[in-house]
Amino acid sequence: MEQARHSLAHGFDIEAIRRAAANLDDGPVTVGYAADREAVIAMLNDALATELLCVLRYKRHYYTVSGPNNGQLKAEFLEHAQQEQEHADRIAERIVQLNGSPNFNPATLTARSHAEYDESDDVQAMVRADLIAERVAIESYRQMIQAIGDKDPTTRQMLVEILAVEEEHADDMRDFLVP
């Protein structure tokens, strides 16, 4: 009777909770992790490549944009580059938490990225390229969130937070776009 009552406390599976104490080398990944860990890591590595490429594109635009009226845009490019780097760092950390290895290989970066690099010299072409890349990132994150569902709430929450910033970036770039 005592055992039955104890295992039903709050409706939790007490035995499963206790089994979480095993396999300490797995760190935060317990037997209750419901997602396909390898698939999530692969998805996150593609997102990492996308973020890194976005950092490079925004940095290039920051350093190459010129003109007397582009100070605000230049500052926006730098801010976005820094935020994309923060996203990359968060994604890499999550990959490690899932017992994966973040892929920073520059030789395959562009092939793994959902977005494209841009070498435009024209200011409006830069803005357009960044807006396109942000829209690609938004759709990529939306699909990742949908694919994960409720199987990995920590990764899902991180992706939702990153998605919100990507939407802000797209809104910022749209404001700089001349019709």
Side-chain angles (χ1 to χ4, degrees):
M1 177 74 169
E2 179 65 30
Q3 176 64 22
R5 194 179 70 204
H6 186 64
S7 64
L8 298 176
H10 306 291
F12 297 153
D13 182 345
I14 301 301
E15 292 305 313
I17 292 171
R18 290 202 171 111
R19 282 193 308 272
N23 302 321
L24 298 179
D25 288 342
D26 289 343
V29 181
T30 65
V31 294
Y33 183 81
D36 178 342
R37 192 178 56 80
E38 293 301 322
V40 171
I41 290 168
M43 190 175 16
L44 291 176
N45 264 316
D46 288 349
L48 176 61
T50 303
E51 293 294 346
L52 293 170
L53 194 82
C54 288
V55 170
L56 295 173
R57 188 187 59 256
Y58 274 122
K59 282 284 200 165
R60 184 187 188 284
H61 291 170
Y62 167 73
Y63 285 111
T64 59
V65 70
S66 61
N69 300 320
N70 290 319
Q72 186 180 0
L73 179 59
K74 186 176 182 89
E76 200 72 34
F77 286 156
L78 180 59
E79 179 183 347
H80 288 201
Q82 292 166 340
Q83 290 170 335
E84 302 292 3
Q85 183 64 58
E86 291 169 8
H87 297 168
D89 293 342
R90 288 184 70 188
I91 292 167
E93 180 62 33
R94 184 61 184 154
I95 291 167
V96 171
Q97 288 172 351
L98 293 173
N99 301 320
S101 179
N103 187 344
F104 285 91
N105 185 344
T108 62
L109 192 65
T110 56
R112 292 181 293 114
S113 173
H114 300 150
E116 296 181 8
Y117 186 71
D118 178 69
E119 293 183 339
S120 298
D121 290 322
D122 176 72
V123 174
Q124 282 299 297
M126 290 179 194
V127 171
R128 186 173 307 285
D130 289 329
L131 179 54
I132 289 168
E134 294 298 351
R135 291 176 52 82
V136 166
I138 289 166
E139 182 59 19
S140 296
Y141 283 119
R142 189 195 64 71
Q143 289 185 25
M144 284 185 256
I145 291 163
Q146 185 175 18
I148 289 173
D150 61 358
K151 294 176 184 169
D152 180 344
T154 303
T155 300
R156 179 186 173 87
Q157 180 63 33
M158 177 191 71
L159 295 174
V160 166
E161 291 168 3
I162 291 172
L163 172 61
V165 176
E166 301 297 0
E167 289 174 346
E168 289 176 24
H169 290 178
D171 191 45
D172 293 341
M173 289 299 101
R174 182 182 60 181
D175 290 345
F176 283 105
L177 197 60
V178 176

